[in-house]
Amino acid sequence: MSWYAGLDIGGTKCAVTLGAPHEDNIDILAKRSFPTPSRWEDALEAMFQAVEALSRENGLSMEQLKGVGVSCGNPLDAQKGLILSPPNLPGWDNVPVTRLSQERLGAPTHLENDANACALAEWRWGAGRGSQHMVFLTFGTGMGAGLILNGRLYRGRNGNSGEVGHWRLSEFGPVGYGKLGSFEGFCSGGGLRQLGLDLAHQAVQLGKSPFYMAQGPDQVSAKTIAEAARKGDETALKVFELCGRQLGRGLAMIVDIINPERIVIGSIFARCEDLLIPSMQKELSREALHDSLENMLVLPAGLGEQIGDYAALSLAVGE
């Protein structure tokens, strides 16, 4: 049986997933994850060993491994197969990951940034299936985009396409991507936390006490703010109203520039769409070209919490 391997490299966790093609989908056969070792050499060796061990445990022959996909945060050079010092992976400087993988595992290896990998996975197997023009937004730790244009992944001149998190949406606001008021500042886990703390400070001055501050500022996160919002906390609802409004503004720019059929959003949006959609939709309708909005869908990621597994496998399968 032919099969594929996906390697997902993160700042805190690495994951290895094995999958086998099934009609127009892929079946996940096995997965193993572990904390990311401090040295890249140790991390790659652990992932290669995991591929070999999982293949043995599942009765798979290494000779039938058809491809390996590697998903990692930017910056990287997909064409040369190099990881180029991502900020969350100190010491990963010019790591020739595709060459090392091909030498060790004996199968073609493809490297992409995580947003591009997720875009491919959602386009092939998730909420973007059947579209020709699709944008995927991460909306997790950061805000980045993967672009499917004319039925192909678009990378740009040097692989930096889709860096929408760097857009400045306001002169003032949370910091993201090193910029005040950026798309990532308003629409990311860290951005929601910044918004929550800022609005809580204002609320306290007005004699109010937001639910999500009950355990102290160190415990504030997108998750705790969402929990408070669903309990009716006024300040938490304001946080998501503001986040949703800026999300709508960013989406309007994407719609006007790219004119996609679908925008698929992962992570926090997929978990909190009920809190974000009202203000997002209002701003999107106000700002974007109406003809471009007609029949254009904004959808949560169809692959849900498993998107990272499918993302790396989508690279192994190839375009």
Side-chain angles (χ1 to χ4, degrees), residues 13-317:
K13 184 185 73 172
C14 290
V16 172
T17 307
L18 309 188
H22 176 71
E23 296 179 354
D24 62 346
N25 211 323
I26 193 164
D27 292 332
I28 293 180
L29 304 175
K31 177 183 175 180
R32 182 169 296 171
S33 60
F34 49 87
T36 303
S38 58
R39 298 175 67 250
W40 67 261
E41 295 92 342
D42 297 334
L44 293 185
E45 177 62 24
M47 284 189 284
F48 296 155
Q49 288 184 10
V51 172
E52 294 164 344
L54 289 172
S55 67
R56 289 193 300 271
E57 292 167 12
N58 290 274
L60 302 171
S61 166
M62 290 298 295
E63 286 70 32
Q64 291 180 298
L65 174 60
K66 297 301 181 185
V68 179
V70 182
S71 173
C72 182
N74 267 340
L76 52 80
D77 187 325
Q79 189 171 15
K80 294 181 180 179
L82 299 173
I83 296 174
L84 303 172
S85 310
N88 64 339
L89 290 168
W92 289 63
D93 307 322
N94 297 299
V95 177
V97 64
T98 58
R99 176 177 64 80
L100 295 172
S101 172
Q102 287 167 181
E103 290 174 356
R104 174 64 174 270
L105 301 177
T109 301
H110 304 280
L111 169 69
E112 285 288 353
N113 71 63
D114 45 10
N116 284 353
C118 288
L120 273 175
E122 283 291 333
W123 177 61
R124 181 173 283 128
W125 301 310
R129 190 195 297 248
S131 64
Q132 288 294 298
H133 312 285
M134 186 205 86
V135 176
F136 175 81
L137 298 179
T138 55
F139 201 160
T141 303
M143 168 60 80
L147 312 176
I148 302 293
L149 306 180
N150 296 315
R152 294 185 63 83
L153 179 66
Y154 179 78
R155 298 179 178 86
R157 178 180 62 83
N158 63 353
N160 278 342
S161 67
E163 295 292 358
V164 299
H166 199 240
W167 287 349
R168 193 189 302 276
L169 301 182
S170 173
E171 284 300 311
F172 302 100
V175 177
Y177 217 134
K179 189 180 281 187
L180 279 168
S182 66
F183 197 178
E184 183 170 299
F186 283 105
C187 300
S188 65
L192 278 165
R193 182 177 188 276
Q194 289 180 66
L195 283 173
L197 292 173
D198 288 347
L199 293 186
H201 180 69
Q202 297 174 26
V204 169
Q205 290 181 318
L206 295 171
K208 300 175 183 178
S209 181
F211 295 163
Y212 59 84
M213 293 293 290
Q215 302 301 316
D218 290 346
Q219 300 304 311
V220 174
S221 66
K223 181 180 179 182
T224 61
I225 299 170
E227 290 170 349
R230 292 195 174 102
K231 293 176 181 176
D233 181 81
E234 180 181 346
T235 308
L237 288 167
K238 284 183 179 179
V239 170
F240 276 95
E241 191 277 333
L242 178 55
C243 177
R245 194 190 321 154
Q246 297 293 356
L247 175 60
R249 185 169 296 178
L251 294 185
M253 295 167 68
I254 291 171
V255 168
D256 287 353
I257 294 169
I258 294 176
N259 190 204
E261 298 163 70
R262 298 176 204 172
I263 298 176
V264 179
I265 315 178
S267 196
I268 292 170
F269 179 82
R271 295 191 289 269
C272 301
E273 57 178 315
D274 58 317
L275 300 172
L276 291 165
I277 282 178
S279 56
M280 176 207 82
Q281 194 62 56
K282 183 177 180 180
E283 191 74 8
L284 177 58
S285 298
R286 187 172 74 91
E287 293 289 338
L289 289 166
H290 289 182
D291 287 350
S292 297
L293 285 178
E294 189 174 357
N295 299 320
M296 195 281 297
L297 300 176
V298 179
L299 301 168
L303 299 174
E305 299 300 324
Q306 283 191 294
I307 190 169
D309 304 330
Y310 285 100
L313 286 171
S314 75
L315 304 176
V317 173

